[in-house]
Amino acid sequence: MLDASSLPIVLDAYGPERTSLLTLLGELSPEDWSRPTECPAYDVKGVATHVLGDDLSLLSRQRDAAEDGLSRLGREMPGAEFRTLLDTFNDRWVAAAAFLSTNLVMLLLRLTGEWTEAYYRAVDPEAPGESVGLFGARPEQASPFWQAIAREYFERWIHHAQIRRALGLPSPAERRFLVPGIEVVGAIARMEPIVPGGEDGAWAVGPMVLGPAQQAADILTRGHTAAEIAALVSGPTDMVGLLAAALGR
């Protein structure tokens, strides 16, 4: 199961994932950049700009120890719940950055991709870092840094998939992306992921069988509703229900 010692499984996917995303973006027409995505408020450019904002945010608050954006926003919106603060922060960034050209968005994504990977390879994965609620930490509780690194890869993979699906393309299901993705989900669920040896084998998280690679990638990158996931995944009903609730869009 993924932990600090096996983190290279995730770190080694950072560069290829960003290169793959940039290759895709570099082939888009102006109309493609404006295509709607599964994120109702964002088109393709909006999702790409959101990924850039995530990079800038983590570099500022994690690497450079700057005050995080949600804390600053919280003073403006006292009493607001975390989800409201997060959505507001993201929406404001995407709106403010809408003037950026697509060429500049891609250039900045290349740079921030390199910077974040370099930082994450240098940091002690067992050092205490920000709270990572995805792994069950309370807001005031420090999480080992490897969990933040795993979370960031998982989110990048999901947004990459959302852009591809908006363009009528399949989710990124290559083993180099799916293996670290399912390892992150296994660590979150505290269950051993099952990676098949062949191309047609079934991927699984503990007793929950996700199916062949493309189906597994679609499920893990939020390509289905909760009801669709419940119908596609086999395993204990209660576990499948929790997985569907967590990953259904």
Side-chain angles (χ1 to χ4, degrees):
M1 187 180 299
L2 184 69
D3 58 16
S5 65
S6 56
L7 189 61
I9 293 173
V10 173
L11 283 172
D12 289 347
Y14 260 74
E17 187 280 323
R18 182 55 55 91
T19 297
S20 177
L21 174 61
L22 289 169
T23 298
L24 173 67
L25 295 178
E27 298 171 348
L28 301 188
S29 68
E31 293 75 20
D32 289 333
W33 281 95
S34 298
R35 288 181 185 270
T37 71
E38 297 157 359
C39 305
Y42 302 160
D43 57 12
V44 167
K45 184 183 177 185
V47 174
T49 306
H50 169 65
V51 174
L52 174 61
D54 277 351
D55 286 358
L56 294 171
S57 176
L58 70 86
L59 285 164
S60 293
R61 70 179 191 270
Q62 294 177 1
R63 188 191 66 181
D64 302 337
E67 182 182 24
D68 68 275
L70 296 191
S71 294
R72 296 172 64 89
L73 188 59
R75 293 195 293 274
E76 179 184 335
M77 303 171 61
E81 295 182 351
F82 173 79
R83 189 74 239 181
T84 299
L85 290 173
L86 182 61
D87 289 344
T88 301
F89 177 81
N90 289 334
D91 290 348
R92 286 187 180 183
W93 158 254
V94 172
F99 73 92
L100 295 175
S101 68
T102 55
N103 283 339
L104 188 53
V105 169
M106 289 187 289
L107 174 61
L108 292 172
L109 279 170
R110 185 177 303 281
L111 291 173
T112 58
E114 293 171 356
W115 294 339
T116 53
E117 182 181 0
Y119 173 59
Y120 282 160
R121 287 189 181 279
V123 74
D124 179 357
E126 295 183 329
E130 65 188 27
S131 176
V132 183
L134 198 60
F135 285 85
R138 299 183 302 276
E140 70 281 0
Q141 179 183 2
S143 298
F145 221 101
W146 71 265
Q147 293 184 354
I149 297 171
R151 176 196 63 197
E152 293 302 326
Y153 171 76
F154 190 47
E155 291 188 1
R156 287 182 179 193
W157 185 43
I158 289 172
H159 291 315
H160 188 167
Q162 290 168 337
I163 289 174
R164 288 184 60 86
R165 290 194 292 261
L167 298 165
L169 300 171
S171 309
E174 300 99 311
R175 290 180 73 90
R176 58 181 177 163
F177 302 142
L178 183 50
V179 169
I182 203 168
E183 287 284 352
V184 173
V185 172
I188 293 168
R190 295 179 175 82
M191 296 179 185
E192 197 68 38
I194 297 174
V195 177
E199 293 298 320
D200 299 324
W203 297 68
V205 178
M208 295 178 290
V209 180
L210 308 182
Q214 190 61 62
Q215 179 171 299
D218 290 339
I219 290 169
L220 295 178
T221 58
R222 301 182 182 275
H224 293 290
T225 65
E228 289 169 341
I229 292 175
L232 289 169
V233 177
S234 62
T237 303
D238 57 340
M239 292 185 181
V240 172
L242 290 173
L243 182 76
L247 293 176
R249 70 167 195 260

